[in-house]
Amino acid sequence: AQKVTQAQTEISVVEKEDVTLDCVYETRDTTYYLFWYKQPPSGELVFLIRRNSFDEQNEISGRYSWNFQKSTSSFNFTITASQVVDSAVYFCALSEIPGGGADGLTFGKGTHLIIQP
Amino acid sequence: GAVVSQHPSRVICKSGTSVKIECRSLDFQATTMFWYRQFPKKSLMLMATSNEGSKATYEQGVEKDKFLINHASLTLSTLTVTSAHPEDSSFYICSALTETETQYFGPGTRLLVL
């Protein structure tokens, strides 16, 4: 069975600080895909990134970066120089299909990130 | 990217009534759609997989007679909450699967049962 653990329920930082959101996953599949989604107060899920299990290279996109380590089954997400607009709930998710595919996604419980001005 | 819409975005109903939520893929055809449920400050839980032209597949613990799913066309799936009760109040999110097996999520529907 697949499982995603986001141990941080809520994080509060002051604007411009860096913040890392942790994600630990469990799966028996050798091929799998990891995702991060942002859910602002409006509720709509915003896709941030997808990473497959064969690619452990870290990725950077502007102020966002992701650290994938198979050895520790972790896929952590860092926001550099945080901004108030980054305030949202962030979900880590897992699937054995690239797009989150035919069996749906397994979501973590989410981390509520609060960026204070 | 592909666009998925949901209607209504918000609904308030009385206990005992039924509520229908629509999920549409606007610019692509989706053989498969998913319905998720999210309680306040909780994660998304997959409720069921909706397959065009066939019966939906429900996750364990989800009452199929309570949550009726109809996927009558390649662009529309509906979720009907029958005889709604206050405990059914939740945020319902659908997603649609493209031919390349990528899920695109709808904006969600907030249901409040009084």
Side-chain angles (χ1 to χ4, degrees), chain B residues 40-56:
Chain B
K41 298 187 178 182
K42 297 293 183 182
S43 186
L44 283 79
M45 300 298 295
L46 180 65
M47 297 175 64
T49 302
S50 171
N51 301 296
E52 189 269 336
S54 64
K55 291 183 178 181

Side-chain angles (χ1 to χ4, degrees), chain A residues 10 37 39-45 50 89 91 97-105 107-110 112, chain B residues 4 32 34 36 38 41-46 49 59 91 93 97 100-108 110:
Chain A
E10 184 175 291
Y37 287 88
Q39 188 178 42
S42 62
E44 185 165 2
L45 284 173
R50 181 186 72 197
V89 179
F91 290 98
I97 303 294
D103 292 326
L105 289 159
F107 284 88
K109 292 186 176 181
H112 185 196
Chain B
V4 176
T32 302
F34 301 94
Y36 293 85
Q38 185 180 29
K41 298 187 178 182
K42 297 293 183 182
S43 186
L44 283 79
M45 300 298 295
L46 180 65
T49 302
E59 295 299 302
F91 189 56
I93 304 176
L97 200 64
T100 57
E101 295 196 317
T102 298
Q103 278 193 52
Y104 288 92
F105 287 87
R110 294 193 187 279

Side-chain angles (χ1 to χ4, degrees), chain B residues 10 12 15 17 24 28 32 54 59 62 86 92 94 100 112-113:
Chain B
R10 188 184 297 265
I12 302 173
S15 185
T17 61
R24 293 182 185 273
F28 66 100
T32 302
S54 64
E59 295 299 302
V62 178
Y92 294 88
C94 75
T100 57
L112 176 61
V113 184

